[in-house]
């Protein structure tokens, strides 16, 4: 039994479901990444997870990060875990060879991330942030910024962050007020505050590099006036790192007492309190938000990975318990002298376990196919590659929110499997439950993504991208119908119902405007997500069925388990779309018309 | 310095063990294979430590089919300079030892390292057999090793203490826990491994002297009967009447 992630399932996805090595083999950038290199990399990631990350997971929660006199102290195991990831080459894995990187395909990097996040998101998330910040500098920074910061970030000596949120500007980045006054040579005096900055400060690194959004003096109002800056905790004394670093007037006001992820700090930062914070412009003025959002697909896939990793850890903890804990007897067994049975023998416990497995492995399929699409989109100019990019754009809200929302529900069911023990800290379920919850908030709340899906994504290309996805789904459903006719019919009917709902909502947009159209965007997002994950499950089961018939790399039990999980998802989770369908097709506008005054 | 490290492919420690062909063959269906940990963590890593940065050359050798190449590549990713696979189905330790000795006899290796045992059959035989075939000294269960010129200084754990040995090279040494710290391959090593030479040589061993007649699994463990801590009388009764140990 696995401890926190099934590498069998990850290998199934890579080699048999997505055939990822074959799909990227013709791209020069990925030379050498054949099936064997994928397997060796997955092995190496698993070893890091087993030896350096997972053993620290509970400890970092119990001995949480603290802030004393403006200095943030994290658990020493954080530094050890980051060192193992750095020495393994995982911080620079996707970076170009000329920067010392391994030019790893995102699909492989994210397979490893699913392992790292499953083992311990409280360590892996710091690395994820640094990689994201480094990618921004790599994409848009000057040669000077790249030379100064990237080697330090890839070597794990500098932490990277994304400094966006302010007290008055959370989901609404339009309202950012942090200011930047030009002082020449691409440098600006920075003033302002940032809150909830993950990894915002800690003493396990030599420096923290904030990729910060601020407004240059006189910039236009709204999102078009926002620029992106590198604002380090310690700034360079000269033009090169060898001249040393000095304090940059970035003050940590404190860290937040979070519900979970207690080893992963979120800081409140103050810039320019002594009028001595210098920021370095990334790219051009007023284009900061577009730069930041060009990296958002990656960041949102990352949040989905974090949620999936957490749900995966919870699943295996509850699965182990279900096989070990004897309690009760079969309903037909009336003899109290008969021994108690392991709780996995109870159908309702198996339901809760299958729910978790279906959510975790369905999310993994979604995340890795999305990552593969990104690899193809960034390395190919064919129409198929453009289509992959558009698919990724369309599904990004699902990729981020399904693992976050359903992952939370999955962990809740994992806790339920343990009963009272799940609520107590002798077992890790209560920690997983606290840790996963934030993912529905990170990188845009579920509500924001619902509006993104309906307000932008399904309208892309006048609806052509959505039509292309529907056509692809329909073709896959037909291909699976011979092996799984009942499940294919069920998914086909749900997909048609979703399409009809979309058409109806478009009519509401035309007739009643965006408020009515977007009122239940979160529910539409959930509906869409259930159909998309069912689509993945049907395809996965079809592959599993083929492997059962003709032989595959994994065991018979693995493939049978895969098919069982598909049947669970189509039978138990997909029908939830009926309730969502009814609500979204109702003409009664309860929430839209509700007076806030009645919320008493 | 030239070092040859013998590496074996073994089932992962979590693999469920079963047999086929009337209990004469190990059932490999659905089994994940790994490099024998004693070969990897101790023998290979120590060899790499002794030869890296231009101090020498480490070669890994495996006797097995092409399916073993993935395990061999891992050896290269950890830091071996080159690899050899003797293209033969391993059937007994004697046969494997003969293949390794035949390959090594004229290559001028200063050291031949093995793990102290494989985690599947736990025979601890290979090193001694290779040493005998090559007429070289053999030290087993080394927990620490330094090499100076043509002498290796070796420590190994003995009952109640540590034994210090010196052995003239060339020699064969089997490595135990403590010889080195496990290394996880990094991405640079993994990608470099693709470019390092992996030579395949034909089998050369003579007639097979050992044949497996059959395997047996250990008897299944009995279920656990938990007795309430307050119920000592019941515990005593069960120990007396059922377990018959008192």
């Amino acid at each position: 039994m696995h401890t926190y992630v099934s590498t069998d399932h990850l290998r199934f996805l890579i080699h048999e479901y997505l055939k990822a090595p074959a799909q990227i083999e013709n791209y020069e950038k990925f030379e050498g990444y054949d099936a064997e290199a994928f397997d060796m990399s997955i092995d190496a990631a698993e070893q890091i997870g087993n030896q350096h990350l997972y053993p620290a997971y509970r400890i970092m929660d119990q001995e949480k990060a603290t802030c004393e006199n403006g200095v943030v102290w994290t658990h020493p195991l954080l530094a050890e875990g980051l060192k193992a990831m750095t020495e393994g080459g995982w911080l620079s894995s996707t970076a170009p060879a000329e920067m010392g990187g391994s030019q790893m395909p995102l699909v492989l990097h994210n397979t490893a991330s699913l392992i790292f996040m499953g083992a311990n998101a409280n360590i892996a998330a710091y690395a994820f942030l640094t990689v994201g910040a480094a990618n921004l500098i790599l994409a848009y920074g000057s040669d000077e910024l790249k030379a100064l910061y990237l080697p330090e970030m890839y070597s794990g000596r500098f932490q990277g962050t994304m400094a966006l949120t302010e007290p008055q500007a959370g989901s609404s980045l339009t309202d950012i007020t942090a200011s930047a006054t030009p002082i020449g040579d691409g440098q600006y005096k920075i003033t302002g505050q940032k809150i909830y900055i993950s990894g915002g400060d800690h003493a396990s690194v030599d420096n923290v590099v904030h990729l910060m959004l601020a407004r240059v003096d006189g910039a236009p109002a709204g999102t078009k006036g926002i620029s992106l800056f590198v604002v380090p905790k310690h700034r360079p004394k000269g033009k090169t790192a060898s001249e040393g670093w000095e304090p940059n007037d970035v003050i940590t006001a404190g860290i937040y007492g979070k519900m979970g992820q207690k080893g992963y700090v979120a800081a409140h930062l103050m810039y320019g309190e002594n009028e001595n914070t210098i920021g370095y412009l990334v790219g051009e003025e007023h284009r900061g938000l577009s730069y930041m959002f060009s990296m958002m697909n990656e960041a949102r896939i990352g949040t989905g990975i974090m949620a999936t990793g957490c749900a995966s850890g919870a699943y295996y903890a509850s699965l182990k318990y279900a096989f070990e804990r004897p309690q009760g007897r079969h309903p037909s067994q009336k003899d109290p002298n008969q021994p108690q049975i392991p709780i996995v023998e109870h159908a309702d416990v198996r339901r809760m376990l299958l729910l978790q497995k279906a959510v975790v492995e369905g999310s993994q399929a979604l995340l890795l196919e999305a990552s593969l699409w990104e690899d193809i989109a960034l390395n190919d100019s064919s129409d198929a590659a453009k289509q992959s990019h558009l698919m990724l754009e369309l599904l990004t809200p699902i990729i981020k929110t399904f693992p976050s929302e359903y992952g939370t529900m999955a962990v809740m069911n994992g806790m339920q499997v343990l009963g009272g023990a799940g609520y107590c800290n002798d077992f890790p379920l209560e920690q997983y439950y606290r840790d996963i919850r934030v993912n529905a908030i990170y990188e845009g709340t579920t509500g924001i993504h619902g509006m993104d899906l309906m307000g932008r994504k399904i309208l892309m290309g006048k609806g052509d991208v959505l039509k292309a996805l529907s056509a692809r789904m329909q073709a896959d459903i037909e291909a699976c119908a011979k092996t799984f006719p009942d499940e294919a019919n069920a998914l086909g009917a749900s997909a048609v119902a979703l399409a009809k709902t979309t058409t109806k909502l478009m009519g509401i947009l035309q007739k009643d405007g965006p408020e009515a159209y977007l009122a239940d965007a979160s529910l539409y997002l959930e509906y869409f997500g259930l159909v998309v994950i069912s689509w993945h499950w049907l395809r996965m089961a079809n592959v599993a069925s083929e492997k059962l018939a003709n032989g595959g790399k994994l065991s018979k039990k693995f493939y049978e388990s895969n098919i069982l999980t598909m049947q669970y998802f189509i039978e138990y989770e997909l029908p939830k779309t009926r309730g969502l369908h009814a609500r979204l097709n109702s003409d009664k506008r309860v929430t839209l018309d509700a007076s806030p005054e009645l919320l008493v | 310095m030239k070092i040859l490290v013998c590496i074996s492919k073994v089932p992962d420690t979590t693999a469920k063990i079963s047999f086929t062909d009337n209990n004469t063959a190990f059932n490999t269906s659905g089994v994940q294979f790994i490099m024998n940990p004693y070969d990897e963590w101790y023998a290979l890593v120590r060899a790499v430590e002794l030869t890296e940065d231009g101090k020498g050359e480490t070669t890994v050798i495996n006797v097995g089919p092409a399916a073993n190449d993935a395990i061999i590549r891992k050896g290269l990713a950890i830091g071996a300079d080159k690899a050899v696979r003797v293209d033969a189905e391993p059937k007994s330790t004697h046969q494997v030892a003969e293949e390794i000795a035949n390959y090594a006899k004229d290559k001028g290796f200063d050291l031949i390292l093995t793990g102290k045992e494989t985690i599947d059959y736990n025979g601890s035989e290979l090193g001694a057999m290779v040493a005998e075939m090559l007429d070289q000294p053999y030290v087993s269960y080394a927990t620490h090793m330094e090499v100076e010129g043509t002498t290796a200084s070796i420590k190994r754990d003995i009952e109640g203490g540590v034994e210090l040995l010196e052995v003239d090279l060339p020699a064969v040494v089997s490595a135990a826990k403590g010889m080195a710290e496990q290394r996880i391959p990094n991405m640079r090593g993994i990608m470099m491994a693709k470019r390092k030479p992996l030579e395949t040589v034909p089998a050369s061993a003579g007639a097979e002297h050992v044949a497996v007649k059959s395997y047996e699994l250990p008897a299944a463990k009995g279920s656990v009967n938990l007795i309430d801590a307050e119920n000592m009388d019941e515990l005593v009764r069960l120990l007396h009447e059922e377990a018959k140990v008192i």
Side-chain angles (χ1 to χ4, degrees):
Chain A
M1 190 180 293
H2 301 286
T3 310
Y4 56 88
V5 70
S6 166
T7 46
D8 286 346
H9 188 252
L10 296 178
R11 285 177 210 279
F12 166 75
L13 292 175
I14 288 294
H15 295 299
E16 297 180 342
Y17 181 59
L18 300 172
K19 299 182 174 69
Q23 292 223 43
I24 54 109
E25 68 182 355
N26 291 328
Y27 301 135
E28 192 181 345
K29 182 180 169 187
F30 300 140
E31 186 188 351
Y33 281 100
D34 57 12
E36 195 173 88
F38 269 72
D39 276 336
M40 288 174 73
S41 306
I42 293 168
D43 275 346
E46 190 180 16
Q47 281 186 275
I48 291 172
N50 290 347
Q51 294 174 31
H52 299 283
L53 306 186
Y54 184 70
Y57 181 61
R58 298 284 280 151
I59 298 168
M60 288 176 69
D61 183 68
Q62 287 153 2
E63 300 168 29
K64 63 184 182 182
T66 58
C67 182
E68 295 166 23
N69 302 320
V71 179
V72 178
W73 298 101
T74 46
H75 199 284
L77 291 173
L78 168 63
E80 282 185 33
L82 286 175
K83 181 168 176 271
M85 292 181 74
T86 304
E87 289 178 350
W90 292 101
L91 267 68
S92 58
S93 60
T94 57
E98 60 268 25
M99 297 301 302
S102 304
Q103 303 195 160
M104 180 182 278
L106 192 63
V107 67
L108 176 55
H109 175 82
N110 283 345
T111 304
S113 296
L114 281 163
I115 296 170
F116 297 145
M117 289 292 189
N120 188 347
N122 283 304
I123 294 177
Y126 287 97
F128 164 66
L129 273 176
T130 298
V131 171
N135 284 346
L136 262 177
I137 294 174
L138 185 66
Y140 303 109
S142 64
D143 289 344
E144 194 176 313
L145 286 177
K146 289 178 196 171
L148 266 170
Y149 292 99
L150 293 183
E152 305 291 342
M153 295 169 86
Y154 291 143
S155 66
R157 288 190 290 272
F158 288 9
Q159 172 69 52
T161 82
M162 301 287 188
L164 281 70
T165 306
E166 298 179 6
Q168 77 296 339
S171 295
S172 177
L173 291 173
T174 304
D175 298 307
I176 277 177
T177 59
S179 67
T181 305
I183 55 174
D185 200 20
Q187 299 183 14
Y188 295 72
K189 277 274 176 82
I190 303 289
T191 309
Q193 290 188 42
K194 294 287 176 182
I195 61 171
Y196 303 138
I197 306 306
S198 295
D201 193 13
H202 62 102
S204 301
V205 288
D206 296 338
N207 200 357
V208 183
V209 184
H210 304 290
L211 271 292
M212 176 177 171
L213 293 179
R215 286 182 190 284
V216 177
D217 295 348
T223 54
K224 288 179 182 167
I226 295 172
S227 301
L228 180 64
F229 299 89
V230 164
V231 185
K233 181 180 176 185
H234 296 284
R235 66 190 179 219
K237 287 180 180 173
K239 293 281 185 190
T240 61
S242 62
E243 293 169 74
W245 303 78
E246 62 188 5
N248 193 32
D249 189 22
V250 178
I251 295 170
T252 302
I255 60 172
Y256 293 90
K258 296 190 294 180
M259 170 182 172
Q261 298 197 338
K262 290 177 182 294
Y264 180 44
V265 297
H268 179 172
L269 302 170
M270 299 193 296
Y271 303 85
E273 286 293 295
N274 302 301
E275 300 181 2
N276 191 23
T277 300
I278 293 179
Y280 305 85
L281 184 68
V282 177
E284 297 172 21
E285 286 185 355
H286 312 320
R287 298 195 58 196
L289 208 57
S290 66
Y291 298 151
M292 190 65 88
F293 273 86
S294 73
M295 295 290 163
M296 273 296 159
N297 284 343
E298 208 175 302
R300 287 168 175 163
I301 292 174
T303 305
I305 288 171
M306 187 189 286
T308 303
C310 194
S312 178
Y315 168 56
Y316 287 104
S318 64
L319 185 64
K320 181 173 186 285
Y321 187 88
F323 273 95
E324 291 176 352
R325 169 71 171 165
Q327 196 68 194
R329 294 162 187 83
H330 287 297
S332 58
Q333 176 56 265
K334 305 296 182 194
D335 181 0
N337 293 316
Q338 290 299 309
Q340 297 194 90
I341 55 174
I343 59 172
V344 72
E345 293 285 336
H346 299 298
D348 192 54
V349 172
R350 288 199 294 273
R351 177 190 60 79
M352 292 187 280
L353 293 167
L354 277 167
L355 183 154
Q356 293 179 77
K357 180 177 166 70
V359 168
V360 168
E361 295 182 356
S363 297
Q364 288 171 339
L366 173 70
L367 289 158
L368 293 187
E369 180 163 72
S371 305
L372 183 60
W373 283 346
E374 182 82 331
D375 282 327
I376 293 168
L378 293 175
N379 291 281
D380 200 326
S381 55
S382 67
D383 286 345
K386 285 177 195 155
Q387 193 67 23
S388 290
H389 177 69
L390 292 170
M391 289 289 171
L392 175 61
E393 288 285 321
L394 172 63
L395 291 182
T396 295
I398 314 292
I399 289 162
K400 192 268 170 182
T401 56
F402 182 86
S404 303
E405 292 283 354
Y406 271 72
T408 301
M409 184 177 73
V411 177
M412 187 182 78
N413 277 270
M415 180 186 275
Q416 196 73 9
V417 168
L418 273 75
Y423 193 67
C424 299
N425 64 8
D426 294 333
F427 292 88
L429 269 298
E430 60 87 24
Q431 183 185 346
Y432 285 122
Y433 190 60
R434 287 184 284 109
D435 282 1
I436 197 170
R437 182 60 186 85
V438 73
N439 289 289
I441 299 166
Y442 278 152
E443 304 295 347
T445 61
T446 299
I448 293 289
H449 284 284
M451 289 195 283
D452 183 41
L453 179 65
M454 290 188 72
R456 296 191 192 96
K457 299 301 172 61
I458 63 172
L459 305 176
M460 284 191 307
K462 296 182 178 172
D464 286 348
V465 184
L466 182 61
K467 282 181 196 154
L469 175 69
S470 299
R472 194 181 279 200
M473 266 190 205
Q474 193 54 44
D476 288 331
I477 291 168
E478 285 169 17
C480 298
K482 191 175 171 190
T483 313
F484 299 110
D486 293 345
E487 291 83 359
N489 281 341
L491 177 56
S494 295
V496 168
L498 175 62
K500 284 181 180 169
T501 302
T502 307
T503 304
K504 179 181 172 77
L505 289 167
M506 295 286 188
I508 290 173
L509 176 63
Q510 298 286 328
K511 185 164 161 265
D512 301 324
E515 281 80 6
Y517 173 65
L518 295 172
D520 286 328
S522 294
L523 303 184
Y524 180 81
L525 176 66
E526 183 180 359
Y527 191 169
F528 208 117
L530 284 166
V531 170
V532 166
I533 297 295
S534 299
W535 171 48
H536 274 285
W537 267 117
L538 191 64
R539 289 159 58 203
M540 281 193 281
N542 210 40
V543 173
S545 172
E546 187 271 319
K547 296 298 174 190
L548 272 177
N550 301 319
K553 285 187 168 183
L554 295 146
S555 67
K556 180 170 173 276
K557 187 171 150 185
F558 173 89
Y559 297 120
E560 288 173 347
S561 174
N562 185 292
I563 292 168
L564 169 69
T565 313
M566 177 277 289
Q567 288 166 336
Y568 166 83
F569 200 83
I570 301 282
E571 280 290 318
Y572 282 74
E573 300 305 319
L574 184 62
K576 291 175 181 171
T577 56
R578 290 177 202 154
L580 295 163
H581 182 86
R583 169 55 232 143
L584 288 162
N585 285 276
S586 167
D587 293 330
K588 292 187 176 168
R589 297 174 177 178
V590 177
T591 57
L592 186 67
D593 296 340
S595 165
E597 290 171 12
L598 294 182
L599 293 170
V600 293
Chain B
M1 180 166 44
K2 286 178 69 177
I3 303 178
L4 182 68
V5 181
C6 312
I7 58 173
S8 287
K9 188 175 89 167
V10 296
D12 185 83
T13 49
T14 59
K16 189 171 171 57
I17 304 299
S18 63
F19 301 104
T20 59
D21 298 342
N22 202 24
N23 285 339
T24 60
F26 173 53
N27 181 6
T28 58
S29 174
V31 171
Q32 186 94 20
F33 286 93
I34 59 171
M35 194 190 310
N36 178 43
Y38 292 107
D39 301 342
E40 178 192 333
W41 300 354
Y42 309 123
L44 175 57
V45 174
R46 187 61 189 137
V48 171
E49 288 171 353
L50 290 168
T51 57
E52 66 191 348
D53 301 327
K55 291 179 294 206
E57 182 181 85
T58 293
T59 303
V60 288
I61 187 167
N62 171 262
V63 178
N68 288 14
D69 284 356
I71 299 292
I72 298 170
R73 288 278 178 209
K74 186 179 183 189
L76 294 168
I78 287 171
D81 300 288
K82 55 187 191 176
V84 176
R85 179 172 58 79
V86 181
D87 194 16
E89 194 64 42
K91 293 194 180 334
S92 73
T93 312
H94 185 275
Q95 171 225 0
V96 171
E98 193 176 345
E99 294 289 4
I100 290 170
N102 287 349
Y103 173 79
K105 64 186 175 191
D106 56 358
K107 303 292 190 301
F109 290 108
D110 301 291
L111 262 172
I112 298 177
L113 297 180
T114 72
K116 71 166 187 174
E117 63 184 351
T118 53
I119 61 166
D120 46 6
Y121 296 99
N122 306 88
S124 297
E125 298 168 333
L126 183 80
M129 287 184 181
V130 172
E132 174 64 20
M133 290 170 187
L134 293 174
D135 194 22
Q136 290 182 6
Y138 173 58
V139 179
S140 62
Y141 292 84
T143 57
H144 182 87
M145 180 174 66
E146 299 295 337
V147 177
E148 191 67 47
T150 57
T151 304
S153 305
I154 290 170
K155 290 182 186 174
R156 59 180 182 180
D157 294 341
I158 56 172
E159 189 68 35
V162 174
E163 183 181 33
L164 306 178
L165 300 164
E166 279 193 352
V167 60
D168 293 335
L169 302 184
V172 181
V173 176
S174 81
K177 186 179 179 183
M179 180 82 118
E181 289 286 324
Q182 180 190 0
R183 282 189 186 183
I184 299 172
N186 61 28
M187 283 316 303
R188 184 174 297 277
I190 289 169
M191 299 313 286
M192 285 287 289
K194 310 289 297 176
R195 302 190 195 109
K196 291 179 180 176
L198 194 170
E199 181 190 2
T200 304
V201 299
S204 62
E208 188 55 54
H209 302 291
V210 180
V212 173
K213 300 302 287 181
S214 72
Y215 295 102
E216 278 180 28
L217 287 171
K221 290 178 183 173
S223 59
V224 174
N225 191 2
L226 292 174
I227 308 297
D228 193 298
E230 303 298 318
N231 195 356
M232 283 297 108
D233 291 345
E234 175 66 0
L235 178 63
V236 170
R237 186 190 70 75
L238 288 170
L239 289 172
H240 180 64
E241 294 178 8
E242 290 195 9
K244 299 186 191 312
V245 294
I246 57 173

